[in-house]
Amino acid sequence: MRVFLVRIEEQPLTVTEPAPLDLSGVTRPPPRVEAGRSLAMVRAFTRRPVWHPPVPATVPPPPLRASARTTLATVQGYVMFGASPFGAAPFGARRDRLSLAIGDVMLRYGTINYIDRDHREFEDGLRTPSFSRTILTGGMVGGWATASLGDLELDNLEGERSDLLRRVAVDGRPVEVLQPRPDGTTEVVFECTARDIVPGDDDTVRIRLRDWDYLLDKPAQTATYPDDAPPEIANRRRPFGYGPCNNVTPTRIATTVPAYQFNDGPSRALRAVYVAGIPQLPADLASVDLASSTFTLAAEPAGDVTCDFDGLVVDGVYLNTTALVIDDLAFRRGGLPATRKSVRHFERFAADMPGEVQLYVSHGEEPTVLSLIQRLLAPCGWGAFSWRGQLQVGVWKVATGSPRCLLSKAEGTLIGLQPAELPTEVYPPPWRLRGGYDRNWTPQTASQLKGDDTPGAVDPVGGPERRRWLARGQEIAEAKDEVTRDRLHLGAQDPAAVETCLADKIGCETVLQASLAHWLGNRAHYRVVPDTPPFFFDIGDEVAIQWDGHGLEGGQIGVVAEVAEGEWTELVIEV
């Protein structure tokens, strides 16, 4: 153990008596005002006025909320063991009627004991659940929505629901949250699925939930090469691509002949084949089959083989826009039923994002459907499942002027409103946005390319500009407003370039310019509490809000960016 000793020498100080002060000539501070006030001056610059969609003369009010929020839930289950009667509470049926055999069963619970018009009983014991969806993540607005579904908590004070843990399987089965109607019927307002059932805290049993995202959390490609394929690709997933894919490395599918596959399924066109960067002539190709997206070279290549092609054609339709590709990924590859598609959202998304996109997945990659959809949504798209389980996509932009309803303090449909902070990535706003386009799927160095690139020589690769493109992974487009940087927002942001799936410069610049104009448009976020039925609003809904103050006296139309449901509905609305 270390021991430290300290010695301090004491030295007596000579103390001099202070001379008396004459305070009569000392300046006094100014008197305090009646009420303490602080003043501050901040040098600012008046932001440019922006256009807000006018509120229509007639906007429908939201539906009336029931006198009390009653939440009902049904969970499909499967009885795993035995066929003997036991406590009726878990199953919401009469104790003297229930005898459970192995097989399907419907669990019904409510925040109160409730019997609907069809004599279905919802057993009391469900605690008020809370659910939320938001696209305010990572300091940005947009992308794939983050869902927080929590659990269905059931009272188990006396162990009356413990049999659920041992005898009933609920994983993967549908869950419905319902609201009672005045006529005694019930309305499904939210659908999801059960993850599992586990013991909870404070004498509860918890049914853990999951959103419909899991339906898209599966491999985007299920087709694989057979066992007798070349060892490098045996049992690996086949490549596939959408739109104009450039300088892709095709998969060699034979060892005895130089045969290659560049897409799984019919392609629109094979535009070019290269060996070590040099375009091949028609005579250099022994065969091309667009139906199977394969080609064979006439001789063994002396260098890396790449190609340009226009991707998948499904049912005669060339899939080369964001809406078409997401549709194919979600419903054909992901297996979502057509009833899960919000046709209205997809049609509007197609009009807002008409540009051509490119997406390629090689045989060495294994992305999920959801990860590819997230990639396609960049830089300003958003996607989510609605409360009723429909897939919705959109472009985050100013409201179009067609609100779903009016939330008004004067009319009693809006009972709380507070300004909310804008996400950190968009305030202070960016003065410049950059995004990638025209991707090169196989960047190549000078050592991988043949030909003479000395000045004055004939370069079979295509010249300096072509060589520069081959060395890069993606071109960069930008949209900027230097006035914002130099005069309006001296702390304006200059974020890193975003990788997109956009194919051409004009399309990329158009999207970036629209997004930049949006965030330079004096945006504001408000956290509001409407007096409406639960699960009435979804992400992307347009809503007119009217409030005393905050410049909302005359009403403004905003877009819902976040929804939280619990004892009350809470929204974050951007205007």
Side-chain angles (χ1 to χ4, degrees), residues 1 5 48 52 75 164 183 212 283 330 353 388 407 431 443 483 494 499 506 542 567:
M1 180 177 65
L5 303 177
R48 57 172 64 92
H52 291 287
V75 183
L164 287 172
D183 62 359
W212 297 108
M353 289 282 285
R388 294 301 305 273
L407 299 178
W431 70 271
V483 173
D494 187 8
E499 183 178 327
I506 294 178
E542 293 190 10
E567 293 288 349

Side-chain angles (χ1 to χ4, degrees), residues 453-520:
D453 62 344
T454 58
V458 177
D459 185 2
V461 171
E465 184 63 24
R466 173 67 178 173
R467 287 178 178 269
R468 183 197 65 80
W469 184 89
L470 288 171
R472 299 178 62 173
Q474 199 171 36
E475 299 296 285
I476 301 294
E478 73 172 17
K480 61 184 178 180
D481 187 331
E482 294 177 348
V483 173
T484 294
R485 178 194 63 188
D486 298 337
R487 300 187 65 189
L488 272 69
H489 289 277
L490 301 185
Q493 302 186 66
D494 187 8
V498 177
E499 183 178 327
T500 81
C501 293
L502 297 167
D504 61 83
K505 183 177 182 179
I506 294 178
C508 188
E509 287 179 340
T510 301
V511 170
L512 293 173
Q513 190 60 55
S515 184
L516 182 66
H518 178 83
W519 294 118
L520 294 180

Side-chain angles (χ1 to χ4, degrees), residues 22-82:
D22 181 7
L23 300 179
S24 61
V26 179
T27 304
R28 268 53 174 178
R32 181 180 63 85
V33 293
E34 183 69 20
R37 294 183 176 88
S38 296
L39 304 177
M41 184 176 72
V42 179
R43 189 172 184 178
F45 194 96
T46 303
R47 299 171 72 177
R48 57 172 64 92
V50 297
W51 177 83
H52 291 287
V55 179
T58 57
V59 182
L64 295 176
R65 177 180 61 85
S67 57
R69 280 204 167 194
T70 300
T71 302
L72 309 175
T74 65
V75 183
Q76 285 189 15
Y78 189 87
V79 180
M80 298 180 287
F81 304 108

Side-chain angles (χ1 to χ4, degrees), residues 494-556:
D494 187 8
V498 177
E499 183 178 327
T500 81
C501 293
L502 297 167
D504 61 83
K505 183 177 182 179
I506 294 178
C508 188
E509 287 179 340
T510 301
V511 170
L512 293 173
Q513 190 60 55
S515 184
L516 182 66
H518 178 83
W519 294 118
L520 294 180
N522 207 10
R523 305 271 76 86
H525 282 188
Y526 295 99
R527 189 172 296 277
V528 306
V529 180
D531 192 11
T532 56
F535 302 100
F536 179 71
F537 298 100
D538 275 305
I539 299 291
D541 281 353
E542 293 190 10
V543 183
I545 54 176
Q546 193 174 45
W547 189 259
D548 297 338
H550 306 298
L552 301 173
E553 295 84 354
Q556 284 195 30

